[in-house]
Amino acid sequence: MEAELKEMLTDLDTLKRSLPDHPSLNSSIDKMQLRVEHLTNLAKSAPGRRLKVKDMSAEVVDSNPYSRLMALQRMGIVENYERIREFSVAIVGIGGVGSVAAEMLTRCGIGRLLLYDYDKVELANMNRLFFRPEQVGMTKTDAAVQTLSDINPDVVLESYTLNITTLQGFETFMSSLKNKTFCPSKQGIGVDLVLSCVDNYEARMVVNQACNELNQTWMESGVSEDAVSGHIQLLIPGETACFACAPPLVVASGVDERTLKREGVCAASLPTTMGVVAGLLVQNTLKYLLKFGYVSPYLGYNALKDYFPTMEMKPNPQCSNAACLERQNEYILAKPARDAAAKAKKEEASEPDSLKDKINVLDDSERNITLLQESETSLPKSATLSLIASITILMEGFVPSNPEVDSLADAQIRLSLAMEVLDLNLIKQRLDHLNAL
Amino acid sequence: MEAELKEMLTDLDTLKRSLPDHPSLNSSIDKMQLRVEHLTNLAKSAPGRRLKVKDMSAEVVDSNPYSRLMALQRMGIVENYERIREFSVAIVGIGGVGSVAAEMLTRCGIGRLLLYDYDKVELANMNRLFFRPEQVGMTKTDAAVQTLSDINPDVVLESYTLNITTLQGFETFMSSLKNKTFCPSKQGIGVDLVLSCVDNYEARMVVNQACNELNQTWMESGVSEDAVSGHIQLLIPGETACFACAPPLVVASGVDERTLKREGVCAASLPTTMGVVAGLLVQNTLKYLLKFGYVSPYLGYNALKDYFPTMEMKPNPQCSNAACLERQNEYILAKPARDAAAKAKKEEASEPDSLKDKINVLDDSERNITLLQESETSLPKSATLSLIASITILMEGFVPSNPEVDSLADAQIRLSLAMEVLDLNLIKQRLDHLNAL
């Protein structure tokens, strides 16, 4: 617009110079020139864009968009935050969860985002975050690229306006995932993680099929039709249950997997539930990519009770998905080598002296999910002692102004771990006893 | 801008009519008129605004911004969603949590939002949701009003660019909370809930002081300096611990309560943690205002472990805050009347036959927090039986393709409740035993 206005000024100037003997017309042209200058100022005050940043700096200045992220390194949470620029994440479904997930990853400075959706923005989407009323009518992919490229021009955005459940859509989906141009040296296919943020069973089964075929780790997400529960799930082909391994569990998790777009039926949705699910999903994505903390195999969110169920699912040897069975066989065949590597690593490391240490030991090949499973079978004596101390503090109740209770939150975490570690027999005994009364 | 361009067209037309004998100049003016028309089209394609909506409709059409929210009624989650338009919520601190909380409430169609902040938007804020690079330099309150009024013009926005910890700021803060013009018939002061989304101890103590003085229920929120934990907390003056009752707990919760703005020190932050905390905060706000589900007295989020600690805190009879002590006395004095009302309600209701039923019984005067406490002391036999059945399913493990496990998620919820109900002695015994080995 500014260029057009500049040309306009030149036009008016030419006109004025061709009318030297018309003072009244000249003053009218002067007035128009002032008007154009005013319009130029108006256009200039419209949104400016931030410039690209070459290297992520940890410098603490207000103008550094990455200072608060690079601080994660200084605080010892992440070893090398800047690695995030090497990663490609595919987000399938740019709705209530997918759009927020895309914005979070964009603000975190992810290297490359691949976005898939075929839908358009409607006013009915305005009760969830991200899309704005002025984007109504645009495709969700176009609207997302518009907003995300303004927020962070450093992120490489690739958008695909297509339906992955169609034959052609699936082909494009597969070839886009395989494309390694962004980082030719990387292992595996062209993306590091696939996030499924779709709202129907059919699309989930398609993502499942693609990831099983490509041996690609992915994360599932979903929100129930009544808007008050949701979940995220990590799927590693061959190692964990795939989406086809355990269909009934999906029903158990409270998610209605039939399409949400049935004629005349309108699912409820809330920006809160969607925001929490997107936050948990991207948090687990960051933990998975940047190798910190514990990546949850399954995490549910029951909004009515603020309850967060967790579970783990092994693959089903009778799974109906042929590619899943292939991945399962590969995983079993690789077991001896994996065990040997784990054993070598274990011998190398000194014996951890607390549960906390145990959890923080990260293993590249196995991820810490497996390590946590191992810790279930044996509990070192020091950890037991520490647990008893923590529980004693809890049992004595909360004493205000007592500096000792600084460790209360820590005690609660330990207690929860203790409950997971203890077998359930004791609890059953107690209930049998109650029932006999 | 469109009006200016229209006047420009008129000017050019006048100019053209005053030069009937200059065909070459006329064609140059024609060219300019085409240019202005093009500019008008460009200006028209710039952001449009959605119109105000008089009544919230449940009609399932793409153009209805409230259809997915009104669906909460049809699904039996909320009794009367439209009541949300009567409520006023004050948000203190429009940073990483407060801004997202404000956006969520705006998209939910809250009646009125009061926003308080004294800070300006910086590029360093871009790693959290909400603010955009083009808003750098604006006050956070102005930028928030700009974005929120575009998203939902139905919400009444009141912004206060001030520091509540100054004498004058506190006075304005207090009088704005007391102002009842928006809904003169409402009980209490002018707002229904205060959300504290500040990042320092001093500001929290000021919100605490105001709410204790005004006998106003509020919710606290916070995120740790290392960006990987956060919490929300419900504070009801006299009934729960106030922020001054239990200062050490704040430290225990992993939040560093000293200011985050120390010279040269930069706290880490993540859009994920902030988004989850804002989501949990506003979800509890909706549950509190619209009376559904369980409002958590305290809910923590440990992002490294995906662990969500909960707890309840009674007020400290030795609290240093005089207004808190006054509220505590009032609460104790009102106990007989409260007990009588609760007893009458209990006799009226039939005996619940499962834990689930028990939790769903909502009590207006007490909220269900108290009801859950009551259920801790006695567990009906049917609930015990149901728990045993659930735990048995869990103990047998997950069997893929078994339709019986549809209830697995439900079983987990029941198990968690069982663990809360059982006293901790058994667990301590078990640990003593382990330790003796």
Side-chain angles (χ1 to χ4, degrees), chain B residues 160-199:
Chain B
Y160 297 90
T161 311
L162 53 80
N163 183 346
I164 59 161
T165 68
T166 63
L167 214 69
Q168 212 200 315
F170 184 72
E171 267 175 34
T172 312
F173 179 49
M174 288 291 276
S175 63
S176 65
L177 293 177
K178 284 187 264 187
N179 184 344
K180 290 177 73 165
T181 319
F182 178 74
C183 188
S185 63
K186 87 175 279 296
Q187 283 198 312
I189 63 167
V191 299
D192 297 279
L193 192 66
V194 176
L195 301 180
S196 166
C197 304
V198 298
D199 62 358

Side-chain angles (χ1 to χ4, degrees), chain A residues 170-303:
Chain A
F170 184 71
E171 268 175 33
T172 313
F173 179 48
M174 288 291 276
S175 63
S176 65
L177 293 177
K178 283 187 265 188
N179 184 345
K180 290 177 73 165
T181 319
F182 178 74
C183 189
S185 63
K186 86 175 279 295
Q187 283 199 313
I189 63 167
V191 298
D192 297 279
L193 192 65
V194 176
L195 302 181
S196 166
C197 304
V198 297
D199 62 358
N200 65 84
Y201 182 79
E202 193 189 358
R204 282 183 177 90
M205 287 300 268
V206 168
V207 176
N208 187 60
Q209 180 64 35
C211 291
N212 277 342
E213 281 184 29
L214 299 169
N215 197 15
Q216 176 58 51
T217 296
W218 61 293
M219 288 185 194
E220 216 296 276
S221 68
V223 172
S224 63
E225 272 202 354
D226 64 6
V228 285
S229 64
H231 74 279
I232 62 166
Q233 186 177 342
L234 173 71
L235 296 103
I236 309 173
E239 190 178 332
T240 71
C242 90
F243 199 73
C245 280
L249 196 77
V250 174
V251 181
S253 73
V255 179
D256 188 327
E257 286 304 327
R258 287 157 298 173
T259 172
L260 297 181
K261 313 226 160 156
R262 282 166 299 177
E263 212 58 53
V265 176
C266 164
S269 57
L270 282 165
T272 45
T273 311
M274 299 275 191
V276 169
V277 170
L280 298 175
L281 180 69
V282 177
Q283 196 83 282
N284 272 275
T285 297
L286 295 175
K287 290 191 279 181
Y288 174 82
L289 295 175
L290 298 170
K291 298 194 169 67
F292 67 99
Y294 170 71
V295 181
S296 287
Y298 179 98
L299 178 62
Y301 168 43
N302 176 318

Side-chain angles (χ1 to χ4, degrees), chain A residues 4 38 62 74 107 124 128 131 252 266 272-273 283-284 287 294 296 303-304 306-307 406 409 422 430, chain B residues 4 7 38 62 74 107 124 128 131 252 266 272-273 283-284 287 294 296 303-304 306 406 412 422 430:
Chain A
E4 296 258 0
H38 180 222
D62 290 340
R74 194 175 37 75
R107 290 186 182 263
R128 280 146 282 178
F131 292 115
C266 164
T272 45
T273 311
Q283 196 83 282
N284 272 275
K287 290 191 279 181
Y294 170 71
S296 287
L304 292 182
D306 278 341
Y307 172 74
D406 278 15
L422 294 165
R430 168 78 169 163
Chain B
E4 296 257 2
E7 283 181 47
H38 180 222
D62 290 342
R74 194 175 36 77
R107 290 185 183 263
R128 280 147 282 179
F131 292 116
C266 163
T272 44
T273 312
Q283 196 84 280
N284 272 274
K287 290 191 280 181
Y294 170 70
S296 287
L304 292 182
D306 279 340
D406 277 16
Q412 284 207 320
L422 294 165
R430 168 78 169 162

Side-chain angles (χ1 to χ4, degrees), chain A residues 1 4-5 7-8 11-12 15 18-19 25 32 35-36 38-39 48 60 62-65 67-69 71-72 74-75 77 103-104 107-108 122-124 126-131 133-134 150-151 225-226 228 246 248-249 252 266-273 276 279 282-284 287 292-294 296 299 301-304 306-310 316 385 388 391 395 398 400 405-406 408-409 412-413 416 419 422-427 430-432 435, chain B residues 1 4-5 7-8 11-12 15 18-19 25 32 35-36 38-39 48 60 62-65 67-69 71-72 74-75 77 103-104 107-108 122-124 126-131 133-134 150-151 225-226 228 245-246 249 252 266-273 276 279-280 282-284 287 292-294 296 299 301-304 306-310 316 385 388 391 395 398 400 405-406 408-409 412-413 416 419 422-423 425-427 430-432 435:
Chain A
M1 193 161 220
E4 296 258 0
L5 288 165
E7 283 180 47
M8 192 76 198
D11 289 347
L12 287 169
L15 190 69
S18 56
L19 294 165
L25 287 180
M32 275 194 268
R35 209 189 278 287
V36 173
H38 180 222
L39 283 167
V60 185
D62 290 340
S63 57
N64 178 3
S67 59
R68 309 295 201 259
L69 294 165
L72 289 166
R74 194 175 37 75
M75 300 229 166
I77 302 292
E103 178 170 351
M104 285 174 171
R107 290 186 182 263
C108 283
E122 305 289 356
L123 266 189
M126 292 308 131
N127 69 320
R128 280 146 282 178
L129 299 179
F130 192 75
F131 292 115
E134 69 257 27
D150 273 348
I151 289 173
E225 272 202 354
D226 64 6
V228 285
L249 196 77
C266 164
S269 57
L270 282 165
T272 45
T273 311
V276 169
V282 177
Q283 196 83 282
N284 272 275
K287 290 191 279 181
F292 67 99
Y294 170 71
S296 287
L299 178 62
Y301 168 43
N302 176 318
L304 292 182
D306 278 341
Y307 172 74
F308 300 83
T310 56
N316 177 2
L385 277 169
I388 292 176
I391 291 165
M395 288 175 72
F398 171 63
V405 294
D406 278 15
L408 185 59
Q412 284 208 318
I413 293 170
S416 162
M419 285 182 167
L422 294 165
D423 68 69
L424 295 169
N425 273 318
L426 270 169
I427 293 160
R430 168 78 169 163
L431 287 167
D432 280 338
N435 197 41
Chain B
M1 193 163 220
E4 296 257 2
L5 288 164
E7 283 181 47
M8 192 76 198
D11 289 347
L12 286 169
L15 190 67
S18 55
L19 295 164
L25 289 179
M32 275 194 268
R35 209 188 277 289
V36 174
H38 180 222
L39 284 166
V60 185
D62 290 342
S63 58
N64 178 3
S67 59
R68 308 296 201 258
L69 294 165
L72 290 165
R74 194 175 36 77
M75 300 228 167
I77 302 292
E103 179 171 350
M104 286 173 171
R107 290 185 183 263
C108 283
E122 305 289 357
L123 266 189
M126 292 307 131
N127 69 320
R128 280 147 282 179
L129 299 179
F130 194 74
F131 292 116
E134 68 257 26
D150 273 347
I151 289 172
E225 271 203 353
D226 64 6
V228 285
C245 279
L249 195 78
C266 163
S269 57
L270 282 165
T272 44
T273 312
V276 169
L280 298 175
V282 177
Q283 196 84 280
N284 272 274
K287 290 191 280 181
F292 67 99
Y294 170 70
S296 287
L299 178 63
Y301 169 43
N302 176 318
L304 292 182
D306 279 340
Y307 172 73
F308 300 83
T310 55
N316 177 2
L385 277 169
I388 291 176
I391 291 165
M395 288 174 73
F398 170 62
V405 295
D406 277 16
L408 186 59
Q412 284 207 320
I413 294 169
S416 162
M419 286 184 167
L422 294 165
D423 66 71
N425 274 319
L426 269 170
I427 292 161
R430 168 78 169 162
L431 287 168
D432 281 338
N435 198 40

